[in-house]
Amino acid sequence: MSQANLDTSSAFLDACAAAIGAQHVLTGTHDAAPYLADWRRRYRGAARAVLCPADTREVAALVKLAHAHRVALVPQGGNTGLAGGATPDASGQQAVLSLRRLNRVREIDPHNNTITVEAGVILAEVQARADEAGRLFPLSLAAEGSCTIGGNLSTNAGGTGVLRYGNTRELCLGLEVVTPEGEIWDGLRGLRKDNTGYDLRDLYIGAEGTLGVITAAVMKLHPLPAARVTALAALGSAHAALDFLALAQRYAGPLLTGFELMSDFCLQLVGRHFPQLRYPFQSRHAQVVLLELSDNESEAHARALFERLMEAALEHGVVEDAVVAESLAQSLAFWNLREHIPLAQAQEGLNVKHDIGVPISRIGQFIEETDADIARVVPGARMVTFGHLGDGNLHYNVQAPEGGDPKRFLADNEKTLNRIVYDNVARHRGTISAEHGLGQLKLDEAAHYKSAVELKLMRALKAALDPLNLMNPGKVVR
Amino acid sequence: MSQANLDTSSAFLDACAAAIGAQHVLTGTHDAAPYLADWRRRYRGAARAVLCPADTREVAALVKLAHAHRVALVPQGGNTGLAGGATPDASGQQAVLSLRRLNRVREIDPHNNTITVEAGVILAEVQARADEAGRLFPLSLAAEGSCTIGGNLSTNAGGTGVLRYGNTRELCLGLEVVTPEGEIWDGLRGLRKDNTGYDLRDLYIGAEGTLGVITAAVMKLHPLPAARVTALAALGSAHAALDFLALAQRYAGPLLTGFELMSDFCLQLVGRHFPQLRYPFQSRHAQVVLLELSDNESEAHARALFERLMEAALEHGVVEDAVVAESLAQSLAFWNLREHIPLAQAQEGLNVKHDIGVPISRIGQFIEETDADIARVVPGARMVTFGHLGDGNLHYNVQAPEGGDPKRFLADNEKTLNRIVYDNVARHRGTISAEHGLGQLKLDEAAHYKSAVELKLMRALKAALDPLNLMNPGKVVR
């Protein structure tokens, strides 16, 4: 990071300092640096300054100034995104707008099952505050200790609870947004039903800050389940996992809150790098599924339900083996296996990552065909395939052949592998970004696969709401 | 309906006839009449013609022609709307675009839990086709035998399953839309997760045909529950119903699929006009709640759960009496009570209707305050208060004092009562249209209560997507 990354000579910055206090306008290289690169260090940008307003009015004041001075803004939450959506470009002309200081929980309304939070509240704090009120906020993902709810909303984050509770989009009832002109839209409604015009809320959700700045939100809460119990099932193929999912949904209905697929190679990697985590079956199986039940009655009821399900699945030959957690500790141990897959693959070295989704019914076929296509082009490539099968969302990652140099593998094969994977995704009418968004990482890929009509519609919306192109330009749509 | 309602002299109509066949361009008064008034006969319009295309390509061809000839189109499904959204204006210059012939179920994918349907498919048929495939399509409302899924989507219809399954919006994964320029956007994706740009889908849902024409949709299916069981609980007040709802959600979690409030006066009206429907309790109670459980295990399990819930509620003094249905017949009888309220109030004579929503926690207070405000202005006015309490959505209707003339009552008091009700709704941050949409009925009321910023945003979207204002002009936003 050189000094040249920060252009501090600006009437704009003086006005910003007057609006929010000079100490909240970061221009020093040292102070600003953490905001100028994404956490995976894939993108490094520059900026005139990092602006840290304290509340919605200050955000509005800054956006008005940016509008007047024609300065482009890059909204940023916890800076945990995986697509570079919150990193400024290299020009040094943009300003980062950090929402971290908007960190108040404004209201909890247990009877309405809602919590009203500012954009900078950390996801784990939303969960904790809901729990204190005897409610569940079900959004849960790896970065929950540092990501913010504003970032979750702007990227429509997914995570492990989508099967039952939906994405961040489905958990949001209302928003407060600062428009690109610096006006405040108060859409903080805590209503389950409201049919009075265009759905502005869902337009801002997932827009990655390109249409306005989300400053607060009313989020849905759910009843706290009495117990959560997990189980593992061993299967012969991903195809079998589809039949098993249908069976599990028939038995458990909405109590089924998790259905995660892990290929055998994923668990081999976990075993290699985290040998303390025990492989749960006597023999190896092609696929393992982690199931979670959230039961409103009791742990005993959940376990009994699991036992009935597994008996039926074994009887029908859908699963090859199964184990139901007998304690909370064992439930956590099962989740631990799943959560160590990303860590284990990182230990193994860089790989080519894909966050794809296809219709659930196509998953078996997609894996089979794409595995074969990749094997033809890069013999020995090792597939790290895991993810939220119940949502049709796979982390379909490709690791260098055993003993190969990961960096070299990436440099030689990333483009080719992306094309193979995304072409197959498109053929199955899937998505190239199921839960990570587009940011700058997948902007061009999205433009490649979307229809001309869809791109035209997206551009029309962007031009209508942000005609000066000052809100996070170069992200999502060009 | 006079001949003057139809202006048939037009090059536009000749071109339409060439595109879809003359027999599908209805210009005769007799043929067109059913499309020119809403079913409640509150609005009567006129039109150049009623256009009845057979498929998406024909819709696109007609919209292109309308665009070239600058003819405004009024999309229409089953014509069961309650806000006049599908009725043309009186000018005779608009054309009705009926989607009824787009009535194919294109695909059912049980493993993906999706059904792909054209806009003109009747809601009851979607339910039936899902059921045949062993799945549940949970959208359910009074007009289900004649309303279309396209109309449900365009008005984001609610109904009785929202508590668990959401509005039509939450049941839709993808859309096919003809844009105002006559291009086809193929957004028919059957994905639970897709974060690749702006949420076009949710922009068209609830837009009442003002941004484009929905021609097909991918809708979510759910596992078929093993049993549905209902129960009735008698309560002393609407406030108590809130505590009871929280208790029921704690006991039943997502198995609770219905929570409907019925004030005593509603049930008195049912008793008066449908004496064969028995009042279920020994003594009268201020409020009765109908609960429904959808159980994935068995009827016996659902009943046992209800028994435990009711015991706890009686013990805590939350409910005054309770009865759990002992058979499917009794479950249906309980629903019958609820469903006869709208019929009973119609028998009693015209009333002033409101489809309002407030945060669930505010419902008791809203009813108390608004009842009092109304009693001050119209002494003796009788409140027909019922609805989807679990969603915060009430049908808060005001009937003339006993023995009063309903027509006179309506003429004298409608405006005053609307103002009282909607002002109180606004004070509680609620909505003046929870599930019926705006159409032409509530267009001006919505403009009155919405902020300048929100109206500006809505107008910007309308201008961006329909710059010539040819899609259902005069509805939703002006």
Side-chain angles (χ1 to χ4, degrees):
Chain A
M1 197 75 47
S2 75
Q3 282 285 358
N5 283 348
L6 294 167
D7 164 16
T8 56
S9 56
S10 165
F12 169 67
L13 293 187
D14 294 342
C16 290
I20 66 171
Q23 71 274 34
H24 300 301
V25 178
L26 312 182
T27 51
T29 299
H30 182 263
D31 292 345
Y35 300 85
L36 302 181
D38 72 316
W39 76 273
R40 288 207 294 179
R41 297 289 179 268
R42 200 179 167 108
Y43 298 101
R44 288 175 186 277
R48 288 171 190 244
V50 177
L51 310 172
C52 305
D55 56 29
T56 302
R57 281 182 46 189
E58 288 194 2
V59 173
L62 292 174
V63 175
K64 271 206 182 93
L65 287 172
H67 190 263
H69 290 263
R70 304 292 192 261
V71 173
L73 294 174
V74 181
Q76 188 179 98
N79 197 17
T80 63
L82 294 168
T87 308
D89 68 16
S91 69
Q93 295 303 306
Q94 306 183 325
V96 171
L97 182 68
S98 169
L99 281 301
R100 293 292 299 276
R101 292 178 67 220
L102 280 78
N103 59 1
R104 280 157 293 256
V105 173
R106 291 195 191 161
E107 191 194 6
I108 298 190
D109 182 345
H111 263 122
N112 195 41
N113 276 315
T114 48
I115 185 168
T116 305
V117 289
E118 294 184 346
V121 178
I122 302 291
L123 172 53
E125 176 162 0
V126 186
Q127 297 166 346
R129 295 292 294 273
D131 191 75
E132 282 167 26
R135 295 292 185 275
L136 173 73
F137 183 65
L139 185 66
S140 176
L141 42 94
E144 62 196 26
S146 49
C147 64
T148 62
I149 196 72
N152 300 146
L153 285 160
S154 289
T155 59
N156 185 26
T160 53
V162 176
L163 180 62
R164 160 71 184 99
Y165 301 102
N167 299 284
T168 308
R169 182 184 301 290
E170 285 84 27
L171 295 171
C172 179
L173 292 176
L175 290 180
E176 179 186 82
V177 171
V178 172
T179 71
E181 292 174 345
E183 293 188 299
I184 299 169
W185 171 54
D186 178 357
L188 285 176
R189 296 186 269 256
L191 305 170
R192 262 72 187 175
K193 287 178 167 177
D194 177 22
N195 283 343
T196 56
Y198 303 144
D199 181 8
L200 300 176
R201 175 190 68 201
D202 284 308
L203 196 54
Y204 293 113
I205 296 174
E208 304 187 35
T210 62
L211 301 178
V213 185
I214 294 174
T215 50
V218 183
M219 306 301 294
K220 273 189 216 170
L221 302 177
H222 285 265
L224 261 183
R228 291 201 217 184
V229 177
T230 64
L232 295 175
L235 298 103
S237 70
H239 284 286
L242 298 186
D243 291 324
F244 185 44
L245 175 63
L247 195 70
Q249 289 184 318
R250 184 148 71 78
Y251 271 72
L255 306 186
L256 186 70
T257 46
F259 197 92
E260 300 279 318
L261 188 76
M262 308 179 271
S263 74
D264 187 53
F265 180 64
C266 294
L267 295 177
Q268 284 180 35
L269 279 187
V270 171
R272 176 182 299 180
H273 297 287
F274 302 96
Q276 73 278 22
L277 299 177
R278 210 175 60 80
Y279 181 75
F281 297 105
Q282 303 224 313
S283 56
R284 308 299 301 191
H285 301 269
Q287 303 284 348
V288 171
V289 167
L290 166 71
L291 300 91
E292 183 188 72
L293 280 189
S294 296
D295 199 293
N296 39 283
E297 295 183 42
S298 65
E299 206 174 301
H301 179 259
R303 258 205 297 276
L305 208 163
F306 259 149
E307 299 289 354
R308 285 200 302 281
L309 165 65
M310 296 306 188
E311 239 170 68
L314 283 161
E315 199 172 294
H316 290 95
V318 175
V319 310
E320 299 176 345
D321 202 352
V323 50
V324 178
E326 288 184 5
S327 63
L328 185 60
Q330 202 176 7
S331 271
L332 293 175
F334 290 173
W335 266 121
N336 246 339
L337 277 178
R338 163 68 180 81
E339 281 160 4
H340 276 75
I341 297 173
L343 306 173
Q345 74 180 352
Q347 293 284 321
E348 188 72 10
L350 290 174
N351 62 18
V352 183
K353 291 187 168 55
H354 307 101
D355 165 43
I356 61 97
V358 293
I360 298 166
S361 49
R362 308 287 193 94
I363 280 189
Q365 204 182 335
F366 169 83
I367 293 177
E368 217 169 76
E369 292 169 3
T370 316
D371 282 3
D373 289 349
I374 289 176
R376 268 193 297 276
V377 177
V378 190
R382 297 170 301 165
M383 309 307 306
V384 186
T385 307
F386 65 101
H388 320 296
L389 186 79
D391 315 318
N393 175 200
L394 290 180
H395 300 300
Y396 185 85
N397 303 337
V398 192
Q399 202 96 31
E402 188 76 43
D405 173 39
K407 276 200 182 165
R408 176 91 186 253
F409 168 74
L410 215 68
D412 288 353
N413 297 299
E414 185 164 22
K415 278 194 181 166
T416 313
L417 290 172
N418 285 351
R419 192 58 58 231
I420 292 173
V421 172
Y422 293 152
D423 278 355
N424 282 349
V425 162
R427 207 159 37 78
H428 286 291
R429 299 187 67 83
T431 175
I432 64 164
S433 189
E435 58 176 8
H436 295 167
L438 295 178
Q440 43 189 307
L441 175 66
K442 293 183 183 171
L443 180 59
D444 293 326
E445 289 288 5
H448 176 75
Y449 288 103
K450 281 189 185 292
S451 67
V453 175
E454 185 159 335
L455 288 170
K456 190 160 78 171
L457 288 167
M458 283 175 54
R459 286 176 190 136
L461 294 175
K462 172 72 173 173
L465 296 186
D466 181 23
L468 299 181
N469 194 25
L470 294 176
M471 300 306 308
N472 213 3
K475 316 285 166 62
V476 181
V477 68
R478 247 198 290 260
Chain B
M1 199 72 51
S2 73
Q3 282 287 356
N5 283 348
L6 294 167
D7 163 16
T8 56
S9 57
S10 166
F12 170 66
L13 294 188
D14 294 342
C16 290
I20 66 170
Q23 72 275 32
H24 300 302
V25 178
L26 311 182
T27 52
T29 300
H30 183 264
D31 291 345
Y35 301 84
L36 301 181
D38 72 315
W39 75 273
R40 289 207 294 180
R41 297 291 179 266
R42 201 179 167 107
Y43 298 101
R44 287 173 188 278
R48 289 171 190 244
V50 177
L51 310 172
C52 304
D55 56 29
T56 302
R57 279 183 47 189
E58 288 195 1
V59 173
L62 292 174
V63 175
K64 272 205 180 94
L65 288 172
H67 191 264
H69 290 263
R70 303 292 192 261
V71 173
L73 294 175
V74 181
Q76 188 179 98
N79 198 16
T80 62
L82 294 168
T87 309
D89 68 16
S91 69
Q93 295 303 305
Q94 306 183 326
V96 172
L97 182 69
S98 169
L99 280 302
R100 294 293 298 277
R101 292 178 66 219
L102 279 78
N103 59 2
R104 281 158 292 257
V105 173
R106 290 194 190 161
E107 191 193 5
I108 299 189
D109 182 345
H111 263 122
N112 195 40
N113 276 313
T114 48
I115 185 168
T116 305
V117 290
E118 293 184 346
V121 177
I122 302 292
L123 172 52
E125 176 161 359
V126 186
Q127 297 166 346
R129 295 292 294 274
D131 192 76
E132 281 168 26
R135 296 292 185 275
L136 175 72
F137 183 64
L139 184 65
S140 177
L141 44 94
E144 63 196 25
S146 50
C147 65
T148 63
I149 196 73
N152 299 146
L153 285 160
S154 289
T155 59
N156 185 25
T160 53
V162 176
L163 180 63
R164 160 72 183 100
Y165 301 102
N167 299 283
T168 308
R169 181 183 303 289
E170 285 84 30
L171 294 171
C172 180
L173 291 176
L175 290 180
E176 179 186 82
V177 171
V178 172
T179 72
E181 292 175 347
E183 294 188 298
I184 299 168
W185 172 53
D186 178 357
L188 285 176
R189 296 187 268 255
L191 305 170
R192 263 73 187 173
K193 287 178 168 178
D194 177 23
N195 284 344
T196 56
Y198 303 144
D199 182 9
L200 300 175
R201 175 191 69 202
D202 284 308
L203 196 54
Y204 294 112
I205 295 174
E208 304 188 36
T210 63
L211 300 178
V213 185
I214 294 174
T215 50
V218 182
M219 306 301 294
K220 271 188 217 172
L221 301 177
H222 285 265
L224 262 184
R228 291 200 219 185
V229 176
T230 65
L232 295 175
L235 298 104
S237 69
H239 284 286
L242 298 185
D243 292 323
F244 185 44
L245 175 64
L247 195 70
Q249 288 184 318
R250 183 149 70 80
Y251 270 73
L255 306 186
L256 185 70
T257 47
F259 198 92
E260 299 279 318
L261 187 76
M262 308 179 272
S263 75
D264 187 52
F265 180 63
C266 293
L267 295 176
Q268 285 180 34
L269 279 187
V270 171
R272 177 180 299 177
H273 298 286
F274 302 95
Q276 73 278 19
L277 298 177
R278 209 176 61 79
Y279 180 76
F281 297 106
Q282 301 223 315
S283 57
R284 308 298 304 189
H285 301 269
Q287 302 284 348
V288 172
V289 166
L290 167 71
L291 300 92
E292 184 188 73
L293 280 189
S294 295
D295 199 293
N296 39 282
E297 293 184 41
S298 65
E299 208 174 299
H301 179 260
R303 257 205 298 276
L305 208 164
F306 259 150
E307 299 288 355
R308 284 200 302 279
L309 165 65
M310 296 304 188
E311 239 170 71
L314 283 162
E315 199 172 294
H316 290 95
V318 176
V319 309
E320 300 175 345
D321 202 353
V323 50
V324 178
E326 288 184 2
S327 63
L328 185 60
Q330 202 176 7
S331 271
L332 293 175
F334 290 173
W335 267 121
N336 246 337
L337 278 178
R338 164 66 180 81
E339 282 161 4
H340 276 75
I341 297 173
L343 307 173
Q345 72 179 356
Q347 292 284 321
E348 189 73 8
L350 290 173
N351 63 17
V352 183
K353 292 187 168 55
H354 306 100
D355 165 44
I356 61 98
V358 293
I360 297 165
S361 50
R362 308 289 194 96
I363 280 188
Q365 206 182 335
F366 170 83
I367 294 176
E368 219 169 75
E369 293 170 3
T370 315
D371 282 3
D373 290 347
I374 289 175
R376 268 193 295 277
V377 177
V378 191
R382 298 171 301 165
M383 308 308 305
V384 187
T385 306
F386 65 101
H388 320 296
L389 186 79
D391 316 318
N393 175 203
L394 291 180
H395 300 301
Y396 185 84
N397 303 338
V398 192
Q399 203 96 31
E402 189 76 43
D405 174 41
K407 276 199 181 165
R408 177 91 186 254
F409 168 74
L410 215 69
D412 289 352
N413 298 298
E414 186 164 19
K415 278 193 180 164
T416 313
L417 291 171
N418 285 350
R419 191 58 57 230
I420 292 173
V421 172
Y422 294 152
D423 278 355
N424 281 350
V425 162
R427 207 159 36 79
H428 287 291
R429 300 187 68 85
T431 174
I432 63 164
S433 189
E435 57 175 9
H436 296 167
L438 295 178
Q440 43 189 307
L441 176 66
K442 294 184 182 169
L443 180 58
D444 293 326
E445 289 287 7
H448 177 75
Y449 287 104
K450 281 190 185 291
S451 67
V453 175
E454 185 158 337
L455 289 171
K456 189 159 82 173
L457 289 167
M458 283 175 56
R459 287 178 189 132
L461 294 175
K462 172 71 173 173
L465 296 186
D466 180 24
L468 299 181
N469 194 26
L470 293 177
M471 300 308 307
N472 214 4
K475 315 288 166 58
V476 182
V477 68
R478 248 200 288 263

